[in-house]
Amino acid sequence: MASDDPMDAEAGTGTVTTSVPARLDRLPWSRWHWTIVIGLGTVWILDGLEVTIVGNIAGRLSEEGSGLPISSAQVTGIAAALYVAGACSGALFFGWLTDRFGRKKLFLITLAVYLAATAMTGLSFSSWWFFTFRFLTGFGIGGEYAAINSAIDELIPSYYRGRVDLIINGSFWLGAVGGSLLSIVMLDTDIFPIDVGWRLTFAFGVVFGLVILLVRRNVPESPRWLFIHGRGEEAERLVRQAEESIVAETGKALPPPAGELTIHQRKSVGFGLIARTVFSRYRKRAVLGLSLFIGQAFLYNAITFGFGAILTKFFDIGTGSTGYFFAAIAVGNFLGPLLLGKLFDTVGRRIMISSTYILSGLLLFATAWLFSGGHLTARTLTACWAVVLFFASAGASSAYLTVSEVFPMETRVMAIAFFYAIGTAAGGISGPLIFAKLTESGVVGDTVLAFQIGASLMTLAGLVAAALAVKAERRSLEDIAAPLSQRDPAAADRRAG
């Protein structure tokens, strides 16, 4: 229904009452949801594949005859930091565009940027070329994190949202397993020349990404974004099509939606309003988001950056064999969200987020103590890391879930982008530079310090979550944080608790 309210003129559209969110949340799981999961989630497999390959080929790139004049420290230090810097920049840039032009347009564009930069990385002939396209690859993946996490949470029913979000973000590690094993084959000079194998790994990622791009074209725009941005009829049509396909699939009538909300439609939301909302009205949630992102970024950098250097320097593992060890910890990383994800929807967000963060931090402290005492071999150290990351991966994935669901609809993408950028910049730019230097020194005490830094920040983030995490399990996004466009959103927030 239309309105003559002066706010409508400012928004440029009108006032509508809609049941679209409630209709989406009451849908049973179906093939329609699998299309979304496959179209959006598989890119994390690609990201894991490509990032892992870069880590595993660092030693090979530094060898004479690789075709690229670069050192292992430059790959794990400068190039890794540039990749993360690109991801932070891309998250903010594409996040802004995603809120203005929609989820679907941007998750197609960001994947295209990512694939083009990956292809150009494989053609590197000098260090500056490699650095440039590592930055641009990160630029594309940063946009992916913002656009995809928002789309997933807005399309998946509230009953399943936690586990689906965690598993999709955790699928990065399926790609890491593939990247580890692929690098073993590609780095085998009996199969491929020393200057060819590492280039073909990037080409493989591009081919895989093109397949994902074709599948992703079938993923719908977010109806939640559509109705707030003055495209209510399109939102109704998409939801109606989903409902009809699910009824035809199950043969059962759908239950009535739980309620409606009335909103002032608007074309866009300014940065000033977003900043005031996130850092004034939701100040505690902002502290929570920053803590979770910084904690997980430092823990992962403490372990994964310099991983190959630790194995080769302290345990005499050849550069061509490190992929086997990385595959082992990658499996632990994927099993964490897969096996623990459902508990985030049943036991609850606060208990699960805080416990996974604190437990992984304490376990990494124990690993550091065992390493300092010389009690570990390459296999037992890898086993310790796999256990640490089983819990850390579920916790890290919940950071993306948290900042996606605890802020209003209009701020969602920029909130994801901001917290990802700040948290990742703190741990992901300084982390590679600090940890690569510590782990490559060959001094046990330096490597132990790297572990302890990551463990400390992860544990502190868990304590923050124990105090501030939001009870968001199985609740509508609009119930957790009322849209800014809703009539009297502050009152709606008070009713939601």
Side-chain angles (χ1 to χ4, degrees):
M1 63 182 176
S3 169
D4 293 327
D5 192 308
M7 285 187 64
D8 300 338
E10 180 183 350
T13 52
T15 300
V16 298
T17 297
T18 181
S19 61
V20 161
R23 289 164 66 189
L24 288 170
D25 280 336
R26 59 80 147 98
L27 294 177
W29 194 260
S30 65
R31 285 193 296 267
W32 187 78
H33 297 105
W34 277 118
T35 299
I36 295 166
V37 169
I38 294 171
L40 298 181
T42 45
V43 76
W44 296 155
I45 299 177
L46 176 61
D47 185 33
L49 178 84
E50 196 263 349
V51 170
T52 304
I53 284 172
V54 172
N56 287 337
I57 68 175
R60 174 55 48 83
L61 290 177
S62 64
E63 295 174 0
E64 185 177 353
S66 70
L68 186 63
I70 196 170
S71 69
S72 177
Q74 286 178 312
V75 176
T76 59
I78 297 174
L82 285 171
Y83 177 85
V84 175
C88 296
S89 304
L92 293 170
F93 176 72
F94 287 119
W96 175 70
L97 293 178
T98 300
D99 267 338
R100 293 184 66 86
F101 300 109
R103 282 44 170 154
K104 182 166 184 173
K105 287 182 181 177
L106 269 296
F107 61 58
L108 292 173
I109 292 172
T110 53
L111 180 57
V113 171
Y114 178 63
L115 292 178
T118 298
M120 297 304 287
T121 302
L123 299 176
S124 296
F125 58 88
S126 68
S127 57
W128 69 263
W129 181 284
F130 187 81
F131 294 152
T132 298
F133 286 102
R134 288 306 294 158
F135 175 86
L136 292 175
T137 302
F139 194 72
I141 200 62
E144 287 277 292
Y145 276 104
I148 289 180
N149 276 286
S150 59
I152 289 169
D153 287 348
E154 290 167 11
L155 290 166
I156 298 299
S158 57
Y159 185 87
Y160 304 98
R161 188 175 63 242
R163 74 197 76 175
V164 170
D165 194 292
L166 261 68
I167 292 171
I168 285 178
N169 279 287
S171 67
F172 172 98
W173 296 101
L174 279 179
V177 174
S180 298
L181 300 178
L182 182 64
S183 65
I184 293 171
V185 176
M186 294 301 182
L187 295 181
D188 189 340
T189 53
D190 291 333
I191 302 175
F192 298 104
I194 191 173
D195 61 340
V196 173
W198 66 268
R199 297 183 189 276
L200 292 178
T201 59
F202 290 104
F204 180 87
V206 173
V207 173
F208 182 38
L210 290 173
V211 175
I212 296 173
L213 188 61
L214 293 175
V215 175
R216 186 174 285 187
R217 293 170 58 195
N218 298 317
V219 176
E221 179 59 89
S222 165
R224 284 178 157 102
W225 182 87
L226 288 169
F227 75 71
I228 280 183
H229 288 78
R231 295 164 62 181
E233 291 184 2
E234 189 176 347
E236 290 286 339
R237 178 177 57 79
L238 285 174
V239 175
R240 184 171 61 252
Q241 289 174 346
E243 292 169 334
E244 290 171 352
S245 68
I246 291 172
V247 169
E249 177 184 338
T250 62
K252 297 179 180 179
L254 296 172
E260 298 179 329
L261 72 159
T262 300
I263 63 163
H264 297 287
Q265 295 175 308
R266 60 179 78 197
K267 294 294 185 182
S268 62
V269 178
F271 279 116
L273 179 57
I274 292 174
R276 289 194 301 273
T277 300
V278 173
F279 296 104
S280 180
R281 185 191 299 179
Y282 296 105
R283 189 178 299 111
K284 291 182 179 179
R285 297 182 183 187
V287 171
L288 172 66
L290 284 173
S291 300
L292 295 181
F293 268 97
I294 291 173
Q296 61 89 23
F298 268 96
L299 179 134
Y300 270 94
N301 287 315
I303 294 177
T304 57
F305 285 105
F307 173 85
I310 292 172
L311 292 176
T312 55
K313 287 184 179 297
F314 294 103
F315 301 106
D316 295 324
I317 302 298
T319 57
S321 300
T322 57
Y324 292 110
F325 295 89
F326 202 95
I329 66 170
V331 169
N333 269 289
F334 178 65
L335 290 177
L338 181 66
L339 299 180
L340 300 178
K342 185 176 181 179
L343 299 179
F344 285 77
D345 285 323
T346 55
V347 174
R349 302 286 201 265
R350 177 170 294 183
I351 292 176
M352 291 306 300
I353 296 172
S354 60
S355 62
T356 52
Y357 268 75
I358 292 171
L359 188 54
S360 59
L362 294 178
L363 289 171
L364 185 54
F365 273 124
T367 301
W369 178 78
L370 291 171
F371 182 81
S372 66
H375 303 299
L376 298 175
T377 64
R379 288 186 175 86
T380 54
L381 175 63
T382 302
C384 288
W385 279 342
V387 174
V388 169
L389 295 174
F390 175 85
F391 295 102
S393 181
S397 295
S398 72
Y400 296 94
L401 170 67
T402 297
V403 298
S404 177
E405 66 183 0
V406 302
F407 297 106
M409 164 73 196
E410 298 88 341
T411 70
R412 181 163 294 120
V413 178
M414 284 307 299
I416 297 170
F418 175 81
F419 289 107
Y420 171 80
I422 297 300
T424 305
I429 297 177
S430 60
L433 298 175
I434 294 170
F435 296 133
K437 187 173 182 179
L438 289 174
T439 55
E440 291 220 349
S441 71
V443 178
V444 171
D446 288 347
T447 301
V448 170
L449 177 60
F451 291 171
Q452 291 173 337
I453 292 172
S456 298
L457 291 172
M458 193 72 171
T459 304
L460 288 173
L463 295 174
V464 172
L468 300 180
V470 178
K471 182 179 173 62
E473 58 273 9
R474 301 188 178 186
R475 293 172 63 188
S476 167
L477 294 172
E478 291 72 24
D479 182 36
I480 300 167
L484 300 180
S485 304
Q486 185 173 347
R487 287 188 180 275
D488 194 8
D493 280 343
R494 288 194 295 272
R495 290 195 301 271

